[in-house]
């Protein structure tokens, strides 16, 4: 198992380097997040031992359980849909919440951040492909949402995130990644206070190379590192 994860990480790393070279970017411009949802702690430890320090979880309970068991130098990313009643459990545990898609959720994060005396970094999730099955604010409402959230205390907008459609040919998602990058640039030009547009979280196992070519700074890779998902839990 260790050999599998280590080998997969070597492959992903080689692909990241190649994509950076093709697009004239430095390797350090892109951070790999190991998406560890549904994976047992033993597999996370193997990835950690192979050098991973950024892990992404979809569910609050799973993140909390792993947070307690794993080394404290890990940077945890909340990448799944976040319910307002779960915010209080993670605001002081995560380095970044990728999936903020409403003012009401942002207000809850702000409230709990004040309570715990922390400042929470977030990304705005945008449904670029307008898929009904996906969360995220629509592209035309993205700027106004960022402007509204920027007024809240103890919360900082660090960038944007999208989940592109599942496709067989990763090139089909290039237009969605390019669109997110354009919205990102447009927001930068607005110079909104309390908004530091630094991160573009886009690209997963099937399309992260294309995402890097289009400007991704954070890629979320699960299957490419850990293998197929495991949904059975003890």
């Amino acid at each position: 198992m260790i050999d599998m994860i280590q080998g997969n990480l070597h492959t992903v790393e080689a692909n990241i380097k190649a994509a950076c070279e093709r697009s004239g970017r430095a390797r350090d411009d892109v951070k790999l997040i190991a998406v560890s949802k549904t994976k047992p702690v033993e597999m996370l430890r193997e990835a950690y031992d192979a050098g991973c320090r950024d892990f992404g979880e979809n569910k609050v309970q799973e993140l909390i359980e792993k947070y307690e068991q794993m080394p404290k130098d890990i940077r945890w990313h909340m990448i799944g849909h976040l319910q307002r009643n779960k915010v209080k459990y993670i605001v002081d545990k995560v380095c970044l919440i990728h999936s903020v898609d409403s003012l009401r959720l942002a207000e809850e994060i702000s409230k709990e951040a004040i309570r715990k005396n922390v400042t929470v970094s977030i990304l705005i999730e945008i449904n670029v492909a307008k898929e009904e099955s996906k969360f995220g604010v629509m592209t035309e409402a993205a700027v106004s949402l960022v402007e509204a959230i920027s007024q809240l205390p103890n919360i900082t907008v660090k960038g944007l995130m999208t989940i592109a459609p599942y496709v067989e040919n990763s090139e089909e998602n290039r237009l969605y990644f390019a669109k997110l990058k354009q919205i990102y640039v447009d927001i930068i030009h607005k110079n909104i206070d309390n908004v530091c547009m630094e991160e573009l979280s886009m690209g997963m196992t099937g399309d992260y190379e294309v995402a890097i070519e289009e400007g991704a700074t954070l890629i979320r890779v699960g299957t490419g590192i850990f293998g197929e998902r495991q949904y059975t839990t003890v």
Side-chain angles (χ1 to χ4, degrees):
M1 187 72 74
I2 293 175
D3 290 342
M4 180 199 83
I5 290 174
Q6 198 163 32
N8 287 346
L9 280 166
H10 281 309
T11 300
V12 171
E13 178 60 33
N15 291 341
I16 293 171
K17 284 181 179 175
C20 286
E21 287 172 7
R22 286 195 299 273
S23 49
R25 303 178 64 194
R27 168 63 187 88
D28 290 346
D29 288 349
V30 181
K31 183 175 287 183
L32 170 63
I33 299 170
V35 177
S36 45
K37 61 183 181 181
T38 77
K39 299 301 179 185
V41 168
E42 293 74 28
M43 293 183 80
L44 273 70
R45 289 205 178 103
E46 288 159 17
Y48 178 90
D49 290 343
C52 286
R53 291 297 179 272
D54 289 87
F55 288 83
E57 288 290 335
N58 267 45
K59 296 186 183 303
V60 168
Q61 184 176 347
E62 201 172 342
L63 189 153
I64 294 167
E65 289 171 358
K66 291 172 179 175
Y67 176 91
E68 299 297 340
Q69 297 178 67
M70 292 291 289
K72 291 298 172 263
D73 62 335
I74 285 175
R75 294 176 293 269
W76 292 99
H77 298 253
M78 180 63 196
I79 61 175
H81 179 63
L82 180 58
Q83 296 170 299
R84 295 197 307 280
N85 63 348
K86 301 285 182 65
V87 168
K88 59 189 173 189
Y89 300 113
I90 63 161
V91 289
D92 56 347
K93 294 179 174 64
V94 297
C95 74
L96 189 62
I97 298 174
H98 291 230
S99 48
V100 177
D101 60 357
S102 73
L103 182 58
R104 289 179 71 192
L105 175 57
E107 287 169 342
E108 188 66 27
I109 293 169
S110 175
K111 184 179 83 174
E112 292 296 338
I114 292 168
R115 187 172 292 169
K116 298 203 174 179
N117 195 28
V118 294
T119 297
V120 181
S121 296
I122 68 163
L123 305 181
I124 306 302
E125 180 176 359
I126 301 180
N127 189 344
V128 181
K130 301 187 186 299
E131 291 185 281
E132 289 186 12
S133 61
K134 298 272 177 69
F135 292 102
V137 63
M138 291 299 162
T139 54
E140 52 273 17
V143 174
S144 59
L145 180 60
V146 169
E147 289 173 335
I149 292 175
S150 73
Q151 307 293 317
L152 300 173
N154 292 56
I155 192 168
T156 303
V157 179
K158 290 284 192 177
L160 308 177
M161 180 269 242
T162 198
I163 300 174
Y166 176 78
V167 291
E168 294 291 337
N169 178 5
S170 60
E171 283 295 328
E172 293 176 26
N173 280 336
R174 188 178 293 275
L175 74 162
Y176 301 123
F177 298 143
K179 176 68 173 174
L180 192 73
K181 176 65 180 289
Q182 186 57 57
I183 297 168
Y184 170 88
V185 170
D186 291 345
I187 293 171
I188 289 174
H189 289 157
K190 288 184 176 294
N191 290 318
I192 305 166
D193 287 344
N194 200 32
V195 174
C196 309
M197 298 300 278
E198 300 170 354
E199 306 290 4
L200 268 178
S201 173
M202 58 188 193
M204 303 197 299
T205 294
D207 54 18
Y208 65 84
E209 292 177 72
V210 172
I212 290 169
E213 291 169 5
E214 293 300 329
T217 65
L218 300 169
I219 57 171
R220 312 179 304 269
V221 180
T223 305
I225 295 172
F226 297 106
E228 292 300 322
R229 295 180 190 174
Q230 297 170 345
Y231 287 107
T232 52
T233 54
V234 178

